[in-house]
Amino acid sequence: QVQLVESGGGLVQAGGSLRLSCAASGGSFSNYGMGWFRQAPGKEREFVAAISSSGRATSYADSVKGRFTISRDNVKNTAFLQMNSLKPEDTAVYYCAANSGLIVRRTTNMYNYWGQGTQVTVSS
């Protein structure tokens, strides 16, 4: 059983940056692909970024490509989401998730474990 805890959310002005962290425990972190998703009020949870277990492969939603960077540290059992050039439409609760496969996955139903989420609010 993997436990995931996100941190790093907050309030930032448009154009600013935030770095989210996802600390994992209870499993072999290096065996899990990791993903970041977000959910805005009244909307479905959507894919943001994913990284393979090794860190060699990544995937991004078109809406964040070039602005967000996903990474991981398999020694510290932590995944990261660096968010630059933030826009008001990036406002959402951000969730990290883990899947037991080794490859990049982009859909919520492919993930086995979820964190509790961290709020990101971007003001205009």
Side-chain angles (χ1 to χ4, degrees):
Q1 189 79 5
V2 176
Q3 292 82 45
L4 303 172
V5 179
E6 302 98 333
S7 61
L11 173 64
V12 63
Q13 288 188 332
S17 298
L18 282 174
R19 189 192 195 203
L20 304 184
S21 297
C22 175
S25 60
S28 298
F29 183 72
S30 60
N31 289 340
Y32 290 89
M34 299 297 295
W36 287 94
F37 294 77
R38 66 187 182 186
Q39 189 166 18
K43 295 188 177 182
E44 292 188 354
R45 193 170 298 188
E46 66 174 1
F47 170 76
V48 174
I51 188 167
S52 63
S53 57
S54 68
R56 295 191 186 98
T58 58
S59 180
Y60 296 92
D62 288 344
S63 59
V64 307
K65 201 171 292 184
R67 299 188 297 123
F68 291 10
T69 303
I70 189 171
S71 61
R72 64 188 298 157
D73 185 333
N74 283 351
V75 174
K76 295 183 177 179
N77 292 347
T78 304
F80 304 96
L81 185 68
Q82 178 67 44
M83 305 186 295
N84 298 329
S85 302
L86 282 161
K87 304 175 181 180
E89 51 263 44
D90 294 319
T91 295
V93 177
Y94 282 72
Y95 299 89
C96 73
N99 73 78
S100 55
L102 303 180
I103 62 174
V104 169
R105 300 184 187 273
R106 296 170 59 99
T107 56
T108 56
N109 62 351
M110 299 303 291
Y111 283 81
N112 310 100
Y113 307 101
W114 292 84
Q116 83 289 348
T118 185
Q119 177 70 47
V120 171
T121 303
V122 184
S123 63
S124 57

